[in-house]
Each structure stands twice: as C-alpha cells, then as structure tokens.
Amino acid sequence: MVISYGSLLVAGLMPVVCAGIAKSGFKGYDNRDPRAWLALQTGFRARANAAQANCFEAFPFFAVGVILALLTGVDPQIVDASSLFFVVMRVAYVFCYITDKAKWRTIVWSAAYLTVVALYALAILNLQMD
C-alpha cells in the first residue's frame, strides 16, 4: 500500500509541477494575477496550464478509486501496481501535452482512465463476493 499512498501524493502534486512549467523562465509573469496571465499564454505554456487543469480533474476520480479498492479488500499489490501505472501514464500524459503529441496524449490519457475504472470495478466485484 505504500506505493498506492505514494502514487496519491505524486498525483496530487502533479498540478503544481504543471503550473511551474507554465510559469517558469518567463520574465513577464505576473504573480499578482496569474490566472489572467496564464490565459494569455500560447504554445507549451498554454498546454502546461491545460495539463494542470486536467491533473486537477483526474485526481479525485483516481484518489477515490484507490481508496475504494483498498477499503473493499482488493489485493494491495494490484492496487499498488494500478496506482503506479496510473502515475506513469499521467506523467506521460503531461509530457505529451506539453510537447504537443496529441495522438499519444489521448492514448496515455485513456490508459490512465481505464486503470481507474478497473479499480472501481475491482472494488465492486469485491463487495459482491462478500
């Protein structure tokens, strides 16, 4: 379960990393109104900001899936492996987003999403077996 917990931490920090990528190294960054500044960005900065938003969107679904799987008695090794795979896919997703690899971004997003769906399915199956 340590891997699952660590994966939750990493997934929770990913929006901050994306925001840092969007803002880093730019002399005109305005910390007084960062959202308005980010809304005006283009290229990799705009894509990093969009990846940040998607990381925020994906996190609750993932976190609840992990917690439900663990609470319903899904094998912790399966939850750990699924959690680690999710985080690896999300890192790949952010990389693909920032580097403008749209096709690959969709593929890795789908893999991560289906991994979380599998956690929910395993939790439901474990409840039915009791």
Side-chain angles (χ1 to χ4, degrees):
M1 289 189 296
V2 171
I3 292 172
S4 298
Y5 296 157
S7 296
L8 287 169
L9 177 61
V10 171
L13 293 173
M14 285 183 70
V16 176
V17 172
C18 292
I21 293 168
K23 298 172 187 176
S24 69
F26 193 79
K27 294 180 182 178
Y29 172 68
D30 181 6
N31 198 37
R32 289 187 176 100
D33 194 4
R35 291 180 189 230
W37 180 85
L38 281 167
L40 298 173
Q41 298 310 300
T42 59
F44 85 91
R45 292 184 193 287
R47 290 190 301 274
N49 189 42
Q52 172 191 201
N54 188 271
C55 287
F56 274 123
E57 294 163 359
F59 181 75
F61 188 54
F62 170 61
V64 171
V66 169
I67 292 166
L68 286 176
L70 291 172
L71 287 176
T72 59
V74 174
D75 182 346
Q77 290 181 331
I78 292 173
V79 180
D80 279 351
S82 299
S83 298
L84 184 58
F85 183 75
F86 174 85
V87 167
V88 168
M89 290 299 98
R90 292 300 299 178
V91 169
Y93 170 84
V94 169
F95 175 79
C96 290
Y97 212 144
I98 291 170
T99 58
D100 202 18
K101 309 287 187 220
K103 179 181 176 181
W104 284 106
R105 186 183 87 215
T106 300
I107 291 168
V108 297
W109 178 92
S110 298
Y113 192 83
L114 291 173
T115 301
V116 177
V117 170
L119 287 171
Y120 280 84
L122 290 170
I124 291 167
L125 287 172
N126 254 22
L127 283 177
Q128 290 178 345
M129 292 173 55
D130 287 339

